[in-house]
Amino acid sequence: MKLIDLLVEFGGDLLSGLGVTLQLAITGIIFASIIGIVCAIINVSKNKYLKIITSIYINIIRGTPFLVQAYIIYFGLPGAFGIRMSELTAGIIAISLNAGAYMAEIIRGGIEAVDKGQMEAARSLGLSSRKAMRKIILPQALRTMTPSLINQFIITLKDTSILSIIGIRELTMAGKLVIAKNYESMAMWSLVALYYFIIIYVITKISRYIERKTAYGK
């Protein structure tokens, strides 16, 4: 079966899978950003007990494969605690926790790249540490972090393919299901790769545009 024939017959299935992939990546990166901001602020604070907790979380996530983390969340937790969750919910939790650990380090690095005098100046003007962080430090750090944040989003988008192992019908799983029907492995995986390439290419172009805009704003 020719590539174009596969695209005509099963393009809708792949688009549906791509939609789930984008849902996982976007939702995951939103929650990961929240986790990352909280952990990064804790890591630059003086609360050593909370810093220990965040450090343990970051080291565990970064020190274990994402595949294993997905298995623990989808198979391990329900078996150990009787928790019920759908494949999609487990996937979002897994991708959020995984990306959150990396986002925490990216954001921490961005915060620490801002001159410490900025915080001192903000405090001297009567701003609380929390307000200074929100209004002064984080906006400046965002410019430094932008390329790394977008790169992390691309990594997270590609990592969603791993979640096919727990049964989520994202793009990779959609490809597997089509191959089970027609056995056109080479052609179908080429199409799946093309879908990933196109969406990541578009995101890369958008990221470069954002980088230029933020650079002009310095």
Side-chain angles (χ1 to χ4, degrees), residues 24 88 100 115 152 183 193:
L24 283 165
L88 187 61
D115 193 318
Q152 182 58 49
Y183 305 104

Side-chain angles (χ1 to χ4, degrees), residues 197-213:
F197 174 78
I198 290 172
I199 193 66
I200 290 172
Y201 180 80
V202 171
I203 294 170
T204 301
K205 286 295 183 181
I206 293 172
S207 73
R208 289 176 181 170
Y209 174 78
I210 293 173
E211 286 177 44
R212 289 196 299 270
K213 285 295 184 180

Side-chain angles (χ1 to χ4, degrees), residues 84-132:
R84 290 187 177 181
M85 65 177 78
S86 66
E87 294 92 344
L88 187 61
T89 299
I92 290 173
I93 293 172
I95 205 84
S96 299
L97 290 176
N98 181 269
Y102 293 93
M103 292 286 281
E105 291 297 280
I106 292 170
I107 296 169
R108 179 189 59 79
I111 291 172
E112 291 181 344
V114 177
D115 193 318
K116 292 182 179 179
Q118 296 289 323
M119 176 62 80
E120 294 171 1
R123 294 302 305 277
S124 68
L125 292 173
L127 294 177
S128 65
S129 296
R130 185 177 298 179
K131 187 171 289 186

Side-chain angles (χ1 to χ4, degrees), residues 2-200:
K2 295 181 180 179
L3 199 66
I4 191 67
D5 294 331
L6 278 175
L7 186 59
V8 170
E9 185 173 355
F10 299 107
D13 295 333
L14 294 181
L15 280 176
S16 177
L18 180 60
V20 176
T21 290
L22 291 173
Q23 180 185 358
L24 283 165
I26 293 171
T27 306
I29 211 68
I30 289 172
F31 285 120
S33 298
I34 296 170
I35 294 170
I37 290 171
V38 172
C39 289
I41 291 174
I42 289 172
N43 281 338
V44 298
S45 72
K46 296 179 180 179
N47 191 319
K48 64 179 182 179
Y49 298 108
L50 288 178
K51 288 172 73 172
I52 290 172
I53 294 172
T54 58
S55 178
I56 291 171
Y57 156 66
I58 291 170
N59 287 327
I60 288 175
I61 294 296
R62 297 182 69 180
T64 56
F66 178 49
L67 177 63
V68 175
Q69 296 164 20
Y71 275 138
I72 288 173
I73 290 170
Y74 185 63
F75 295 110
L77 292 181
F81 302 103
I83 301 171
R84 290 187 177 181
M85 65 177 78
S86 66
E87 294 92 344
L88 187 61
T89 299
I92 290 173
I93 293 172
I95 205 84
S96 299
L97 290 176
N98 181 269
Y102 293 93
M103 292 286 281
E105 291 297 280
I106 292 170
I107 296 169
R108 179 189 59 79
I111 291 172
E112 291 181 344
V114 177
D115 193 318
K116 292 182 179 179
Q118 296 289 323
M119 176 62 80
E120 294 171 1
R123 294 302 305 277
S124 68
L125 292 173
L127 294 177
S128 65
S129 296
R130 185 177 298 179
K131 187 171 289 186
M133 180 65 71
R134 188 176 71 252
K135 293 190 173 183
I136 306 296
I137 306 301
L138 285 177
Q140 293 185 66
L142 184 60
R143 288 177 179 172
T144 305
M145 297 185 295
T146 297
S148 297
L149 291 175
I150 295 173
N151 185 58
Q152 182 58 49
F153 176 69
I154 292 173
I155 292 171
T156 301
L157 178 66
K158 290 189 287 187
D159 280 350
T160 59
S161 63
I162 296 174
L163 296 174
S164 64
I165 54 96
I166 62 173
I168 297 178
R169 295 190 64 169
E170 42 67 67
L171 183 55
T172 300
M173 176 59 80
K176 289 180 181 178
L177 293 174
V178 172
I179 290 170
K181 297 176 183 177
N182 57 35
Y183 305 104
E184 295 285 349
S185 297
M186 184 61 189
M188 181 49 59
W189 286 129
S190 297
L191 271 180
V192 170
L194 180 63
Y195 273 62
Y196 277 115
F197 174 78
I198 290 172
I199 193 66
I200 290 172

